[in-house]
């Protein structure tokens, strides 16, 4: 197969969509007001994809650039050294009538909060994503559920715009790729993923230093908080038709007692999902009175994205989330009822 032949990968983005995205960026970005948006409570893929692409636009000579995300305007400590952070603007301070909006790693408009309305006011919009549950909003849509991270889509669009990778763009895209593949361990860690990682590392990145900063560093108080929250975990071997579930919860009071910020809880699913006896793991994290952000993971036997979608959330087959209401026990009861045989993979 030569380079000039289109490679039809199932679930991949059609050539006309790539062409439309390139044409849209070339038409509206130079000389226009460009707004980049990623999802609420941004993770490494959301921030890395958005800032990596923003830096790419800057290399193209685009100067009116703002990058933002809804909700509390706080960059989690692991990402406070990410290149391109100077482009971040609080959501309530961004332009209300951009020429071009680019959206990163957003599965549903609800994940953009009040920023969702700006999509309709913009002259053009491009959505870059990889969620199987993506709801189909936006103008030009580059959504590839087979991509390991949104940054895979970003790298290809930058390439098609003739923006070369430099070390800063590469660091953003590497953090995004490493985050969503669980440091190259999860399901979607294909040869293509390692080839992309090789291109990124070749710009001079130091993976060990980045990994320590992103994954292997947390305050002492966060470790003590994890100890409390893990100590109350419950094992339910009979849940999910006998596939088993483990769950725990963390309250705002837990965070306050240990002097920790909410984002530290994003790493808590990792020890929980290692429990050998079960397929499904769950962390229920309080965000307000009676409101909980629920993280779901499966080892491969349950489509937790389908479960999350029935509960108003979304995600990927083996990693998903939704917003729960009531007490942690009530949230888990609602969830337990959705772990039905048709959610089996
Ligand atoms: P998390 O457990 O927060 O790491 O999220 C796992 C995956 O589910 C990520 O791809 C999220 O984008 C997605 N996700 C989490 N919560 C929601 C939600 N409320 N709605 C849609 N997607 C979600
Ligand atoms: Mn994400
Ligand atoms: Mn992602």
């Amino acid at each position: 197969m030569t380079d000039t032949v289109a490679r039809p990968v199932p679930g991949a983005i059609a050539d006309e969509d790539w062409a439309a995205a390139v044409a849209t960026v070339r038409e509206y970005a130079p000389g226009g007001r460009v707004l980049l948006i990623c999802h609420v409570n941004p993770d490494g893929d959301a921030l890395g994809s958005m800032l990596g692409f923003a830096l790419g636009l800057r290399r193209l000579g685009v100067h009116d650039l703002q990058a933002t995300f809804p909700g509390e305007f706080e960059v989690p400590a692991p990402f406070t050294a990410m290149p391109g952070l100077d482009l971040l603007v609080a959501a309530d301070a961004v332009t209300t009538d951009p020429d071009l909006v680019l959206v990163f790693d957003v599965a549903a408009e609800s994940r953009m909060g009040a920023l969702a309305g700006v999509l309709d006011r913009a002259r053009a919009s491009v959505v870059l994503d990889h969620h199987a549950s993506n709801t189909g909003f936006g103008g030009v849509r580059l959504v590839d559920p087979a991509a390991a991270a949104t940054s895979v889509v970003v790298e290809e669009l930058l390439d098609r715009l003739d923006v070369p990778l430099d070390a800063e763009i590469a660091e953003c895209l590497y953090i995004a790729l490493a985050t969503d593949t669980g440091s190259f361990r999860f399901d979607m860690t294909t040869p293509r993923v390692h080839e992309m990682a090789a291109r990124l590392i070749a710009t001079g990145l130091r993976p060990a230093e980045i990994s320590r900063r992103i994954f292997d560093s947390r305050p002492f108080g966060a470790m003590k908080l994890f100890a409390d929250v893990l100590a109350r975990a419950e094992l339910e071997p009979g849940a999910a038709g006998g596939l088993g579930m483990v769950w725990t919860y963390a309250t705002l009071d837990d965070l306050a007692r240990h002097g920790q910020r909410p984002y530290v809880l994003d790493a808590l699913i990792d020890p929980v999902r290692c429990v050998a006896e079960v397929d499904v793991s769950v962390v229920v994290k309080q965000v307000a009175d009676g409101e909980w952000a629920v993280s779901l993971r499966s080892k491969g036997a349950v489509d937790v994205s389908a479960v999350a979608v029935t509960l108003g959330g979304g995600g990927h087959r083996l990693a998903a989330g939704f917003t729960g209401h009531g007490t942690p026990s009530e949230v888990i009861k609602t969830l337990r009822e959705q772990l039905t045989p048709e959610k089996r993979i």
Side-chain angles (χ1 to χ4, degrees):
M1 200 178 275
T2 70
D3 283 342
T4 53
V5 176
R7 290 162 296 154
V9 180
I13 295 157
D15 269 349
E16 52 264 37
D17 291 326
W18 285 117
V22 169
T24 301
V25 172
R26 287 202 191 287
E27 180 174 353
Y28 293 100
R33 280 182 305 269
V34 182
L35 178 63
L36 300 94
I37 303 171
C38 71
H39 65 70
V40 65
N41 303 324
D43 53 24
D45 189 28
L47 277 175
S49 293
M50 176 172 75
L51 295 179
F53 194 77
L55 290 171
L57 287 178
R58 197 186 248 172
R59 306 283 183 268
L60 280 178
V62 179
H63 290 300
D64 196 343
L65 288 169
Q66 295 180 326
T68 194
F69 53 86
E72 188 159 359
F73 189 59
E74 180 176 26
V75 175
F79 308 127
T80 48
M82 200 185 273
L85 285 175
D86 59 298
L87 293 166
L88 277 184
V89 176
D92 57 8
V94 295
T95 176
T96 51
D97 59 343
D99 296 295
L100 173 63
V101 174
L102 296 137
V103 180
F104 299 85
D105 204 39
V106 171
E109 282 176 286
S110 59
R111 305 272 287 160
M112 285 189 286
L115 288 163
V118 85
L119 238 70
D120 301 322
R121 291 194 297 276
R123 294 169 70 203
S125 63
V126 182
V127 171
L128 296 87
D129 189 33
H130 69 129
H131 289 92
S133 66
N134 186 288
T135 53
F137 62 93
V140 179
R141 297 174 37 73
L142 303 178
V143 180
D144 182 0
T150 295
S151 70
V152 173
V153 181
V154 169
E155 194 212 14
E156 178 147 4
L157 183 56
L158 288 175
D159 185 51
R160 286 172 182 256
L161 287 163
D162 298 319
V163 178
L165 287 177
D166 61 25
E168 289 198 322
I169 296 172
E171 180 168 334
C172 292
L173 302 189
Y174 185 87
I175 290 170
L177 191 62
T179 299
D180 270 25
T181 58
S183 294
F184 308 98
R185 285 173 297 170
F186 296 161
D187 216 24
M188 298 229 199
T189 310
T190 58
R192 199 175 147 213
V193 165
H194 280 289
E195 283 156 14
M196 175 171 164
R199 286 191 294 278
L200 300 175
I201 293 169
T203 65
L205 302 188
R206 297 172 57 200
E209 187 271 318
I210 294 174
S211 297
R212 196 171 307 113
R213 188 168 12 114
I214 304 302
F215 304 114
D216 296 341
S217 176
R218 67 178 56 93
F220 183 70
M223 184 186 72
K224 302 286 274 183
L225 165 66
F226 282 22
D228 282 3
V229 175
L230 291 173
R232 65 171 81 110
E234 303 249 1
L235 187 68
E236 297 191 16
L243 293 168
M245 169 171 77
V246 60
W247 64 276
T248 190
Y249 67 93
T251 64
L252 293 175
D253 181 60
D254 292 323
L255 288 168
R257 207 170 53 252
H258 292 285
Q260 294 303 306
R261 305 294 306 146
Y263 61 76
V264 305
L265 295 172
D266 292 347
L268 191 63
I269 192 71
D270 283 317
V272 179
R273 68 176 173 75
C274 292
V275 171
E277 290 89 338
V278 302
D279 184 78
V280 177
S281 47
V282 187
V283 176
V284 180
K285 297 168 280 192
Q286 188 174 25
V287 289
D289 206 16
E291 189 181 324
W292 307 81
V294 186
S295 285
L296 303 174
R297 299 292 185 272
S298 163
K299 289 186 189 152
V302 175
D303 181 349
V304 287
S305 174
V307 174
V309 166
T310 57
L311 296 169
H316 310 284
R317 259 175 11 139
L318 304 183
F322 67 96
T323 301
H325 301 280
T327 64
S329 301
E330 286 162 353
V331 172
I332 291 296
K333 180 171 184 287
T334 313
L335 171 64
R336 211 185 277 117
E337 287 164 5
Q338 289 303 325
L339 292 170
T340 50
E342 60 271 24
K343 308 292 184 355
R344 279 185 182 235
I345 290 172

